[in-house]
Amino acid sequence: MDLFLGIDVGSVSTNLVLIDYEGELYLRPLYLRTQGQPITAVQQGLVLLKEQLTSEDRIRGVGTTGSARSLAGVLVGADIVKNEITSHAVAALHKVPGVRTVLEIGGQDSKIIVLRDGIVVDFAMNTVCAAGTGSFLDQQANRLNLSIENFGEVALQAENPVRIAGRCTVFAESDMIHKQQMGHSLSDIVAGLCDALVRNYLNNIGKGKEINPPVVFQGGVAANAGMRTAFEKALETEIIIPQHFDVMGAYGAAMLARDQTSEQGRETRFRGFKVSSQDFQNCSFICQKCPNACEVIEIKQGKELLARWGDRCGRWSVTETEAGCVPV
Amino acid sequence: MKIGIPRALLYYYYYPLWREFFTQLGLEVVLSPTTNKGILDAGIKNTLSEVCLPVKVFYGHVSALADKVDYLFVPRINRVEPKAYICPKFMGLPDMLKARLQQMPPFIDTAVDAGMDGNPVQCWVDCFQEVGSKFTHNHQLVNSSIAAAFRTQQEFQRRLTGGMLIPDALENDCVPEVAATSQQNYTLRIGLLGHPYNLYDAYISMNLIHKLQSMGSFVVTPESLSVDEIEDEARKLPKRLFWTLGKRMIGSALNFYASKELDGLIYLTSFGCGPESLVEELVARWAKQQGNLPYLMITIDEHTGEAGMVTRLEAFTEMIKRRQKHENHLSSHGEPLHSG
């Protein structure tokens, strides 16, 4: 079967999705933890996929997205490397055709995408601060001795959610400790935390945006039933969570890869599943050619230089013959 | 005798004026290098954490010049037009510098103040008269230097209103990276708001202009507008803004909206800018009222990771392109324009 692969390498998770020409899922999507090692995570994902494919299956196109999209793109030989906004929007539109608002909360990022007639007309992403994203929930769950998987269920049992400051992670945490010390129940605190995150999200990212239904909620945090309820309460509308809410970025990337390769009718640049067993070295060095002291990153496969980036002037990205990293 | 001028803050508005004046007086002007990591680090080290990024950068430039010049030109700029003030941080700049930096060459910190009814030219004439008298008793030389300085500044402004971006207009003196790119082969017309010391400092803006151009955008900045054009629009506010630079942003935004020639508007602000926190909100609301002109706000601070900015710019330009494609697509299915 002809398949298209989408890879979303984010700060917390690395997701891989296979689809067919019709945009239907093939096999179960993979949701892996990145754990600070994007290359390894992508390789692992490829191994897991390959095990399940038959000899008839062919990868006809690959798309990458997420914060490590360039790295992943070089690694696997992507046909298209796309930002997260477009990828998420494309996937949401496929699953919920009339969607007008996409709420997405991931590991370090949160965004809102406003669509009209199937076109992105506005979007916003969180600024430098990662308050109110998945990582924060993860940490707090850990601190409360809850597994993140149970977090949402606990929140749903709340009777009187407490009010917690949502503006800043640090303040939210001290507020939460205070409420614990005062003797509030765990579920009330957890639900309060969900409300705080939603408030923070709507005030920061959703500020001034027209949030009209249908509203789709995706990204890893959509797994949290407490967050869904908090959104429904705040927006007074039904929140749709697509079945594969946690891999929508990768889904979108796969669809974009399909469009790209079939529109141009050309062969994929996919380097094959052998990528998973190849040895890649990534290293970085500080360029000393000028006072900017750029941190340049270099990706090599054996002796072959695949890519370099991070330099402001472009000398390293262009002069590929120059020696960059000193082998240790 | 060497006069140091930091390549930061109001340098971007006034450098030709300043340089010409001192050069005509027979002094050597020394400009600090373009912003780099070393300069930013030095600036951050020497400032309090609450000042905005461009002020931190200014400190870095002052440090870079400290042991290379006999004097540092850091005028105390209060008002450059009647009934409006420059940013409060600029007014106190000489004092802030003296409080934090040791072993500095003497500052030339003469005040520039248009007062309640002065004008944008006279305030500089007054300043230069005073500065000139420190170096020479030849009044005629001072006066001719001032006249030459204004001619140079006029030429600079003529280039800007002609559509040149500041680095190009400064020529020979400035940032080559931005200057080198020509504004051809574009598919989008993007308005770019922001203070010149953020927009044109390729280091702190992470080369925003160049990035936009390489994504196929023609970049229009407030510098292409004349003071009158900006003022006419800013006057439409229910209450006149009393911050000169904020008024410039609002007036430019309103002019951009009125001209209806833009495909989108980007506002680059620096974290911690007081006036901008209000102005950016006003601009965003207008963007919405103007038929939802695509609008993006980018806040810069000390972080150097470019990924966030690239993602936003990419998504923004792509959104506009898809929107246009979609709109064209729709109209082609509508009523035929010419029948028969």
Side-chain angles (χ1 to χ4, degrees):
Chain A
M1 189 186 258
D2 288 343
L3 298 170
F4 300 90
L5 173 63
I7 306 178
D8 179 355
V9 188
S11 56
V12 173
S13 74
T14 295
N15 313 324
L16 290 90
V17 166
L18 281 172
I19 58 166
D20 59 19
Y21 263 118
E22 272 67 54
E24 289 312 308
L25 265 184
Y26 186 72
L27 299 179
R28 221 157 49 91
L30 291 178
Y31 182 94
L32 310 166
R33 293 257 163 181
T34 309
Q35 290 178 318
Q37 296 184 307
I39 296 181
T40 318
V42 171
Q43 288 181 319
Q44 267 176 3
L46 290 176
V47 171
L48 292 172
L49 282 183
K50 192 179 177 232
E51 283 169 2
Q52 304 174 61
L53 292 177
T54 67
S55 57
E56 255 97 81
D57 295 328
R58 287 277 174 281
I59 304 291
R60 295 292 181 203
V62 181
T64 59
T65 188
S67 45
R69 59 183 180 277
S70 314
L71 177 63
V74 168
L75 205 67
V76 299
D79 298 295
I80 190 164
V81 176
K82 224 10 136 200
N83 63 78
E84 301 93 297
I85 299 282
T86 311
S87 305
H88 274 280
V90 165
L93 271 169
H94 178 66
K95 287 290 159 198
V96 184
V99 59
R100 297 211 284 172
T101 312
V102 177
L103 316 172
E104 199 270 346
I105 307 186
Q108 289 274 321
D109 238 6
S110 43
K111 35 186 137 4
I112 185 167
I113 308 172
V114 180
L115 303 104
R116 296 289 177 267
D117 306 321
I119 294 291
V120 176
V121 293
D122 201 3
F123 70 88
M125 290 174 81
N126 60 331
T127 47
V128 272
C129 175
T133 57
S135 301
F136 172 68
L137 277 182
D138 227 358
Q139 263 182 29
Q140 298 315 321
N142 202 7
R143 223 183 55 77
L144 295 168
N145 270 330
L146 280 171
S147 76
I148 190 74
E149 290 77 18
N150 297 331
F151 200 88
E153 291 310 313
V154 174
L156 293 183
Q157 290 155 19
E159 282 162 14
N160 300 300
V162 296
R163 187 170 172 99
I164 287 172
R167 174 70 61 199
C168 167
T169 304
V170 180
F171 294 156
E173 184 164 338
S174 56
D175 228 13
M176 228 172 60
I177 294 173
H178 176 70
K179 300 278 154 132
Q180 276 181 300
Q181 309 291 56
M182 298 287 285
H184 289 279
S185 78
L186 183 64
S187 56
D188 284 349
I189 292 172
V190 170
L193 197 61
C194 292
D195 287 342
L197 284 198
V198 165
R199 208 161 49 234
N200 184 30
Y201 177 94
L202 293 176
N203 287 338
N204 269 329
I205 297 137
K207 187 179 73 175
K209 304 274 179 264
E210 283 170 40
I211 302 180
N212 291 333
V215 179
V216 168
F217 180 22
Q218 57 197 39
V221 173
N224 189 320
M227 287 294 289
R228 177 201 196 149
T229 311
F231 267 123
E232 283 183 335
K233 223 163 50 179
L235 295 173
E236 293 174 352
T237 180
E238 188 206 354
I239 303 288
I240 305 164
I241 299 183
Q243 193 191 353
H244 299 288
F245 61 85
D246 53 348
V247 295
M248 294 295 270
Y251 206 122
M255 295 187 61
L256 288 164
R258 179 198 64 183
D259 297 347
Q260 172 89 0
T261 46
S262 46
E263 243 173 53
Q264 303 184 349
R266 59 178 177 78
E267 288 294 303
T268 179
R269 292 198 208 124
F270 183 46
R271 302 177 56 206
F273 284 98
K274 62 177 193 295
V275 165
S276 57
S277 57
Q278 283 169 343
D279 195 17
F280 292 95
Q281 298 96 35
N282 57 323
C283 64
S284 62
F285 61 96
I286 294 173
C287 170
Q288 305 289 358
K289 307 271 179 193
C290 88
N292 278 340
C294 294
E295 294 159 9
V296 184
I297 296 107
E298 199 175 85
I299 309 294
K300 272 184 175 173
Q301 185 207 330
K303 287 207 168 128
E304 190 198 348
L305 179 67
L306 294 181
R308 272 202 201 119
W309 56 76
D311 50 339
R312 280 164 181 269
C313 64
R315 71 175 300 140
W316 293 106
S317 330
V318 180
T319 22
E320 295 194 349
T321 47
E322 227 171 327
C325 285
V326 184
V328 188
Chain B
M1 194 82 76
K2 288 177 179 169
I3 309 287
I5 296 182
R7 194 192 290 262
L9 296 179
L10 295 180
Y11 149 86
Y12 290 96
Y13 280 128
Y14 290 118
Y15 180 61
L17 183 78
W18 299 345
R19 181 200 55 207
E20 195 63 19
F21 172 70
F22 287 114
T23 312
Q24 290 292 327
L25 273 187
L27 304 169
E28 188 189 338
V29 170
V30 180
L31 194 57
S32 52
T34 50
T35 308
N36 56 49
K37 198 175 187 179
I39 286 181
L40 180 60
D41 287 349
I44 292 166
K45 207 177 92 195
N46 291 314
T47 42
L48 297 176
S49 58
E50 60 256 44
V51 300
C52 60
L53 183 64
V55 168
K56 289 176 184 168
V57 168
F58 189 84
Y59 267 72
H61 282 276
V62 168
S63 307
L65 287 168
D67 54 359
K68 296 185 178 66
V69 296
D70 303 299
Y71 289 93
L72 268 168
F73 184 56
V74 190
R76 181 189 304 281
I77 303 174
N78 296 332
R79 283 177 282 199
V80 293
E81 58 176 343
K83 297 184 192 122
Y85 287 87
I86 284 280
C87 162
K89 283 169 188 149
F90 296 0
M91 298 179 200
L93 210 46
D95 308 312
M96 283 162 66
L97 289 168
K98 281 176 200 162
R100 303 288 298 184
L101 298 173
Q102 272 86 46
Q103 291 174 336
M104 284 285 125
F107 287 165
I108 303 171
D109 58 358
T110 313
V112 177
D113 195 339
M116 286 311 274
D117 34 42
N119 71 55
V121 173
Q122 194 57 42
C123 62
W124 284 105
V125 173
D126 294 343
C127 167
F128 285 151
Q129 296 274 7
E130 200 181 319
V131 174
S133 68
K134 288 186 211 277
F135 294 99
T136 174
H137 295 295
N138 183 344
H139 290 302
Q140 206 163 359
L141 177 63
V142 174
N143 285 334
S144 67
S145 302
I146 294 175
F150 276 106
R151 278 195 300 275
T152 309
Q153 182 73 12
Q154 263 166 13
E155 169 60 22
F156 170 64
Q157 256 139 15
R158 197 187 55 73
R159 292 186 195 184
L160 294 180
T161 44
M164 248 188 214
L165 297 178
I166 283 187
D168 297 290
L170 286 170
E171 229 185 0
N172 303 330
D173 298 304
C174 194
V175 223
E177 307 106 269
V178 185
T181 47
S182 68
Q183 298 224 43
Q184 279 162 5
N185 301 326
Y186 60 88
T187 48
L188 297 178
R189 226 181 138 81
I190 302 288
L192 187 54
L193 287 177
H195 298 310
Y197 44 82
N198 291 329
L199 291 187
Y200 300 109
D201 187 323
Y203 188 81
I204 64 172
S205 75
M206 301 187 200
N207 233 337
L208 172 63
I209 294 180
H210 179 73
K211 285 195 170 81
L212 276 172
Q213 287 171 338
S214 61
M215 290 176 188
S217 305
F218 182 91
V219 176
V220 188
T221 68
E223 279 64 60
S224 64
L225 303 174
S226 71
V227 175
D228 290 338
E229 281 173 306
I230 293 174
E231 198 64 36
D232 284 347
E233 293 295 331
R235 214 171 277 140
K236 292 177 184 163
L237 288 179
K239 181 172 184 281
R240 188 175 181 269
L241 273 190
F242 46 82
W243 300 113
T244 297
L245 301 179
K247 184 155 57 78
R248 222 180 128 73
M249 293 304 118
I250 285 272
S252 307
L254 291 178
N255 181 290
F256 287 164
Y257 293 144
S259 74
K260 297 201 184 302
E261 283 169 356
L262 295 181
D263 299 309
L265 184 64
I266 296 179
Y267 197 160
L268 180 79
T269 71
S270 47
F271 186 73
C273 178
E276 220 148 53
S277 63
L278 297 172
V279 172
E280 71 193 22
E281 184 63 33
L282 287 173
V283 171
R285 290 184 187 190
W286 263 301
K288 228 178 169 54
Q289 286 165 15
Q290 301 293 322
N292 264 323
L293 183 73
Y295 174 74
L296 176 71
M297 205 185 79
I298 295 181
T299 310
I300 47 168
D301 203 5
E302 289 159 29
H303 52 282
T304 50
E306 296 195 13
M309 182 182 281
V310 173
T311 300
R312 284 168 177 78
L313 293 180
E314 236 185 74
F316 186 69
T317 46
E318 184 141 316
M319 167 181 92
I320 298 171
K321 284 177 194 162
R322 282 183 173 238
R323 222 157 112 157
Q324 287 175 345
K325 217 162 124 188
H326 179 71
E327 276 156 16
N328 294 340
H329 183 69
L330 272 189
S331 61
S332 70
H333 284 270
E335 289 293 302
L337 288 174
H338 307 284
S339 51

